[in-house]
Amino acid sequence: MPRSNRPRRRGAGDDDDDTELDLSRILTGGRRIEHRRSGSWNVQSVSPAQAVKEYVCPGCSLPVLAGTAHIVAWRADGLMGEASDLAGRRHWHSHCWKIGN
């Protein structure tokens, strides 16, 4: 049977669920929680277009240059509360985050 190139119709409620999911991913930048031996971490990717400042990577102590895709990480299970955890976020090179912590 030949393949049809026509788009398939979707149910009336299907679009709303996908739109909410896509919108939350856009707003949070693909934030996820990673569990490591040091605890749980909120991890968010930063695209080159979003990287407008220079930071120092805690993994290698080298600069994360503006315009470089990287990772922002902060504790998800800190004892001092969410505001303190968010204030303690750090910008990592993607490679340093994968091999460190």
Side-chain angles (χ1 to χ4, degrees):
M1 174 177 219
R3 186 178 77 142
S4 173
N5 288 331
R6 287 190 216 171
R8 298 193 187 272
R9 291 186 185 209
R10 299 175 62 152
D14 291 348
D15 290 337
D16 294 337
D17 295 337
D18 289 345
T19 304
E20 286 181 29
L21 180 62
D22 291 343
L23 183 59
S24 70
R25 283 186 183 165
I26 290 169
L27 292 176
T28 61
R31 187 181 328 165
R32 62 193 180 277
I33 294 181
E34 291 188 15
H35 303 283
R36 296 178 169 231
R37 62 189 152 172
S38 61
S40 297
W41 294 84
N42 289 303
V43 179
Q44 186 170 343
S45 299
V46 178
S47 71
Q50 294 173 317
V52 294
K53 291 174 57 179
E54 188 172 304
Y55 299 95
V56 175
C57 175
C60 65
S61 300
L62 295 174
V64 178
L65 300 174
T68 303
H70 62 279
I71 299 290
V72 178
W74 64 98
R75 295 297 302 240
D77 59 357
L79 298 174
M80 301 304 288
E82 187 176 336
S84 176
D85 293 341
L86 193 57
R89 66 186 180 268
R90 296 292 175 254
H91 295 252
W92 294 69
H93 293 111
S94 300
H95 176 73
C96 294
W97 176 255
K98 288 178 188 174
I99 65 170
N101 204 19

